[in-house]
Amino acid sequence: MSGAQGPEAQGSEPRIAVVFIHGQGQQRPMEDVQELARTTWEADGRGRTWTAPDARLAVADLQRITTEAGQPPPRVDFFEHYWAHYMAGNRLEHFLTWFRDLMARPRRDAPRNLLPVRQWVVRFMESITLLCILFSLGVSLLLPQPQDGLSRTDLRDAFFGLPIPTPTDVTYLLMLTTVGLIVAATLVIIVHEIIGGVRPRPRMPTLLSLKAAATSVSGAVPLLLGVGFAITVGIVSTLIFQGPLLQWGDLRLPLTLATAIAALLLTLRHLNTAATLAVIVSAAALVIALLGDIDAKNLWVYGELSGWIVPVKTFLHCEAGQPCFDAGGWSLHVFFALFSFAFLWSAFGVHVGIGAARHWWTRLFWTTIVIVVSGVVAHWHLNSLYSGDATGTLEKEQLQASWALYASGVTLVVVALAGIFVTRMAARAFLIPVMADSARYFSRNPEHIEARQQIRKAGIDLLDRLHDPKAGYSRIIVVAHSLGTAVGYELLMDYWARQSGSYVMRAGEPVSAALHDVERAAQALNGCNDEDSCEKARAALRIAQRRFSRRLRTMELEKTAFGHAEGKHWLISDFITLGSPLTHASLLLADSRADLGEKLGARKLAACPPTLHGPDGEVDACNGALTFIGWDGQPRPVHSALFAAVRWTNHFFKTASWIVVGDVIGGPIASAADERRARRGPDRGDLGRGVLDVDVDRLGTGKLFAHNEYWRSALSTKALGEHLRNGRKPQHIAKLIEAIDFEDKSPD
């Protein structure tokens, strides 16, 4: 190593390296790690820090932050694994594709503190779809019956001896069917909410799914839809205004058919497809409503129906003094009820105790409230419609129909414009620069593999240089925030897998005995069944982990190992995660909680404590071991035993009732001690009981949404130091200093 690397050549003084891995977003180099050094070192009265060039850092804007020489040991160097530049080129499509896949997960697999977000998105899509379908149906009802043109073509003659229904017959039946489907879709929405959702059926390949084959094609889909819609509107308008080939009334049938299909898709819970089709159909209906000859007098007017369908119309619409259902009035009642329901449905559900309630009876209660309020509103409209002079009932129905169509149309336009504005602002401020990082990192699409590989390689190179004996470090601590915790988790798994083949566990040696201590502590922790006993077992495991890590640092290494690079003494003692999304590991790293368990059991992912296996290779949590017999007949630790040598501490701010308070992204990672509690839902993490979860106090940050405040303080260095010495706030900084443990107080 060159002299610019500073500490490695002097090596007589014990040194610690702290590697900080930043989170998602457009982070600036050195900004976060400088604040970490200020709050955990300078404010704690340990001396000054300053920056120095370091050739081990691959980015020119990065420097090493070192501490003052001559102070009580250890001396600490702070490094940053900076990876934001590898995520350049984010697009909104990256986030939307990833978010759509997450939303497709069943409700029971969704993390509890994300349930309000998921619930509101689902309800909003259901409400918008229902409003679009209602508006399209209203336009169809108020279009005139054509007097000439295509719909007047006489098709009543027999065709091969069979009577052929007229387009008017088909339109009328479709209209009745659509009304029934809308009511059925609403009932399905309600039932689906109460039972908590069902697991999605396997999807067959569709034309829409093929768009992922090429990014350029997928980006052109919205443009092609828009151009196709514009061309269709132009052709239809030309045919109508330029001659008798087509009338506005001729659009009744295709508009009703498209509306019926959207309602059917909503009933079958194909929500994405139903919402897309409903929006397109409602846009066409809006053009027809603005340009076409719609009139409230056309409500339920269907003349010259075939003889076999006349009795149905007579019964439904009170014709010829016959007993009837009075569909004219009840259709308005249903419309107003569903219109109110669609609004209230999206308004309720954001609060964690209402829309995302865990118990079905709570969801049933609030759903009943929405239905009752919607029914009361519709009943008020119905009473005002039929009160007073009965001779004016028809005119009132027509007036109410016009008002309903106007209200729903204006609502859709306002919601569409507001949605475009909010989406654009959110995309520029948050979704593209921040959330798209997570979308690309957790996605396994081929286009994102290169960026993730570059991030991993840069981290491996940094750890390799810090593990070099010439660097002079005796211990490495990895501190990671937000998405950086997932980067660090996979980085440490990879680095351990590269090095573990060099660690031979010969019988009778201290390192082998230390690993057996970890195995016994892991067995005890896996076998505990209450929080108190698990807490004691976790403390014993952390002592055993640190002891094994120290033995790895001093053990004699094999010069080379079959299939592995040259081995190095293991120096990483702690992995500290701040606001980690790995609390949702089953959502982000696997397809379900069961799939996550299979990956942990198959050693594809690392658990804390490590997953134990028996001699036959099966998972054996209470009697298994962490070694395998290598190519030379010698026992070695398995490649997934990372957390046999690394302690995992996780800090999180508890999320309050409303998701904007606390930290909705982070949360506990350790598995629950009570298995029955764990089965009720992912309140806790799923990566093992050995993670030390620390619920830190948000109040010391002075922020409501405190996701970025785990190592920050608005206080000056001097004021923060006084608060820390007096045991006052901020508690989150004191807990972080305790977790880093510069003095390495763990007993040997």
Side-chain angles (χ1 to χ4, degrees):
M1 297 291 176
S2 65
Q5 294 170 344
E8 59 273 321
Q10 303 175 19
S12 59
E13 187 178 9
R15 290 176 176 269
I16 295 176
V18 176
V19 179
F20 183 81
I21 306 177
H22 66 79
Q24 59 197 7
Q26 297 178 332
Q27 307 289 342
R28 296 180 180 180
M30 299 294 296
E31 191 174 80
D32 293 334
V33 70
Q34 283 179 330
E35 179 67 5
L36 178 70
R38 184 185 77 87
T39 56
T40 61
W41 186 268
E42 292 184 2
D44 199 30
R46 298 175 182 273
R48 297 184 298 112
T49 65
W50 64 90
T51 59
D54 198 303
R56 288 168 296 198
L57 299 171
V59 179
D61 292 333
L62 294 178
Q63 292 183 316
R64 168 172 52 92
I65 299 178
T66 190
T67 58
E68 190 173 5
Q71 294 293 323
R75 189 173 180 183
V76 177
D77 292 331
F78 293 85
F79 298 88
E80 181 175 24
H81 173 32
Y82 184 79
W83 53 267
H85 57 300
Y86 294 119
M87 284 295 183
N90 290 345
R91 301 192 302 272
L92 181 60
E93 179 193 356
H94 294 149
F95 169 75
L96 294 178
T97 302
W98 175 68
F99 186 71
R100 182 190 62 191
D101 294 339
L102 294 184
M103 291 297 298
R105 302 284 186 90
R107 177 194 177 106
R108 59 176 59 90
D109 281 342
R112 179 168 184 172
N113 57 347
L114 291 183
L115 270 178
V117 179
R118 180 188 187 278
Q119 189 68 5
W120 186 83
V121 171
V122 171
R123 287 191 169 194
F124 182 76
M125 291 182 64
E126 292 170 341
S127 299
I128 290 297
T129 305
L130 195 55
L131 284 174
C132 290
I133 292 174
L134 289 171
F135 176 74
S136 303
L137 179 63
V139 173
S140 300
L141 282 169
L142 300 188
L143 279 172
Q145 180 179 350
Q147 301 302 315
D148 297 298
L150 297 179
S151 294
R152 291 286 296 169
T153 303
D154 189 8
L155 297 175
R156 298 183 183 182
D157 295 333
F159 183 76
F160 293 108
L162 297 175
I164 302 300
T166 66
T168 303
D169 296 337
V170 175
T171 304
Y172 182 70
L173 292 177
L174 270 177
M175 196 70 70
L176 296 178
T177 303
T178 304
V179 173
L181 286 173
I182 293 175
V183 175
T186 306
L187 293 176
V188 169
I189 289 173
I190 294 171
V191 173
H192 196 270
E193 166 71 13
I194 295 173
I195 66 176
V198 296
R199 293 193 176 275
R201 299 180 297 273
R203 295 183 177 181
M204 299 298 291
T206 63
L207 289 176
L208 291 178
S209 67
L210 298 179
K211 75 183 183 70
T215 304
S216 58
V217 175
S218 64
V221 168
L223 177 63
L224 294 176
L225 287 176
V227 172
F229 174 72
I231 293 175
T232 302
V233 171
I235 293 174
V236 170
S237 302
T238 301
L239 290 175
I240 291 173
F241 289 118
Q242 297 298 323
L245 289 178
L246 195 63
Q247 300 177 4
W248 288 110
D250 289 314
L251 300 179
R252 245 185 178 186
L253 177 57
L255 185 59
T256 307
L257 177 61
T259 305
I261 294 175
L264 177 62
L265 291 172
L266 182 59
T267 305
L268 298 176
R269 297 300 298 173
H270 296 286
L271 191 54
N272 291 334
T273 308
T276 303
L277 179 60
V279 169
I280 294 175
V281 173
S282 64
L286 181 61
V287 174
I288 295 172
L290 293 175
L291 302 179
D293 185 19
I294 63 171
D295 193 334
K297 295 180 180 180
N298 299 322
L299 182 64
W300 292 112
V301 174
Y302 291 89
E304 300 187 16
L305 292 171
S306 299
W308 58 274
I309 204 172
V310 170
V312 177
K313 185 171 184 293
T314 301
F315 173 76
L316 291 177
H317 298 284
C318 300
E319 296 184 0
Q322 299 294 326
C324 66
F325 181 68
D326 192 12
W330 276 100
S331 62
L332 290 175
H333 191 153
V334 172
F335 183 92
F336 280 116
L338 295 180
F339 192 72
S340 303
F341 176 83
F343 271 104
L344 294 173
W345 194 244
S346 59
F348 281 79
V350 179
H351 194 277
V352 69
I354 301 176
R358 303 295 298 275
H359 303 296
W360 67 268
W361 55 83
T362 307
R363 300 195 299 270
L364 174 62
F365 172 77
W366 287 106
T367 302
T368 304
I369 293 295
V370 175
I371 295 172
V372 170
V373 173
S374 303
V376 168
V377 172
H379 184 67
W380 176 78
H381 276 286
L382 192 64
N383 283 343
S384 63
L385 180 66
Y386 290 101
S387 61
D389 186 10
T391 59
T393 298
L394 180 59
E395 289 75 9
K396 291 181 180 180
E397 287 183 0
Q398 295 172 354
L399 179 63
Q400 289 282 356
S402 299
W403 183 88
L405 186 64
Y406 171 79
S408 58
V410 170
T411 300
L412 285 178
V413 172
V414 171
V415 170
L417 294 177
I420 293 173
F421 175 77
V422 172
T423 301
R424 182 175 178 82
M425 295 298 294
R428 295 178 61 181
F430 181 67
L431 297 181
I432 293 178
V434 179
M435 293 306 298
D437 282 352
S438 295
R440 293 179 64 189
Y441 190 85
F442 288 116
S443 172
R444 293 302 184 255
N445 289 338
E447 64 173 312
H448 306 315
I449 291 178
E450 178 63 24
R452 191 165 59 251
Q453 180 63 23
Q454 290 177 337
I455 294 172
R456 184 88 55 85
K457 182 179 183 302
I460 292 293
D461 290 344
L462 176 59
L463 291 180
D464 256 338
R465 293 173 183 135
L466 296 180
H467 275 81
D468 192 308
K470 295 180 181 180
Y473 292 109
S474 61
R475 182 179 170 213
I476 298 174
I477 303 167
V478 178
V479 182
H481 171 243
S482 190
L483 180 58
T485 64
V487 174
Y489 175 72
E490 295 187 340
L491 172 63
L492 294 184
M493 280 197 302
D494 193 344
Y495 197 71
W496 170 263
R498 293 167 183 247
Q499 301 297 329
S500 60
S502 300
Y503 307 144
V504 177
M505 302 290 110
R506 296 184 178 89
E509 293 192 357
V511 66
S512 178
L515 181 59
H516 288 317
D517 290 342
V518 173
E519 291 173 345
R520 285 190 291 269
Q523 293 166 1
L525 183 58
N526 292 332
C528 66
N529 52 18
D530 61 80
E531 290 293 344
D532 291 337
S533 60
C534 284
E535 186 66 30
K536 295 178 181 178
R538 185 181 299 112
L541 173 67
R542 290 174 66 84
I543 294 174
Q545 288 170 323
R546 186 66 188 108
R547 182 184 300 118
F548 181 51
S549 178
R550 289 174 177 142
R551 300 296 181 268
L552 287 176
R553 182 169 64 89
T554 58
M555 71 175 294
E556 181 180 352
L557 294 180
E558 298 287 308
K559 291 185 178 181
T560 59
F562 184 79
H564 292 270
E566 181 180 355
K568 297 179 179 179
H569 288 103
W570 186 259
L571 303 179
I572 302 172
S573 64
D574 291 270
F575 182 42
I576 302 171
T577 53
L578 312 174
S580 175
L582 293 178
T583 184
H584 316 306
S586 61
L587 192 70
L588 301 175
L589 302 181
D591 294 331
S592 64
R593 298 187 70 188
D595 182 49
L596 179 65
E598 292 177 1
K599 288 184 175 181
L600 292 172
R603 298 173 180 167
K604 295 179 180 179
L605 296 174
C608 182
T611 305
L612 303 174
H613 292 79
D616 56 356
E618 296 295 325
V619 176
D620 189 351
C622 295
N623 297 289
L626 293 174
T627 56
F628 74 101
I629 303 301
W631 59 275
D632 55 357
Q634 297 289 344
R636 289 176 168 82
V638 296
H639 67 271
S640 62
L642 165 67
F643 293 106
V646 178
R647 299 178 297 190
W648 189 347
T649 306
N650 175 58
H651 287 196
F652 66 95
F653 293 118
K654 185 178 295 184
T655 306
S657 301
W658 296 92
I659 60 176
V660 296
V661 178
D663 182 10
V664 70
I665 298 174
I669 293 177
S671 305
D674 187 349
E675 293 298 331
R676 291 176 299 177
R677 178 183 175 186
R679 284 196 299 269
R680 288 200 296 267
D683 291 333
R684 303 286 296 269
D686 299 284
L687 292 178
R689 297 177 176 180
V691 183
L692 178 60
D693 286 318
V694 181
D695 180 7
V696 291
D697 188 0
R698 176 190 58 82
L699 297 179
T701 67
K703 301 290 183 66
L704 290 179
F705 183 68
H707 177 63
N708 295 321
E709 306 302 319
Y710 286 93
W711 67 100
R712 301 181 190 275
S713 176
L715 299 174
S716 66
T717 303
K718 181 178 180 181
L720 177 59
E722 292 177 354
H723 280 69
L724 292 174
R725 286 190 293 272
N726 296 329
R728 296 179 294 175
K729 307 290 184 183
Q731 179 248 19
H732 66 288
I733 299 295
K735 288 293 184 181
L736 180 56
I737 295 174
E738 179 182 336
I740 294 176
D741 186 19
F742 289 110
E743 289 81 10
D744 197 10
K745 300 174 183 176
S746 177
D748 197 353

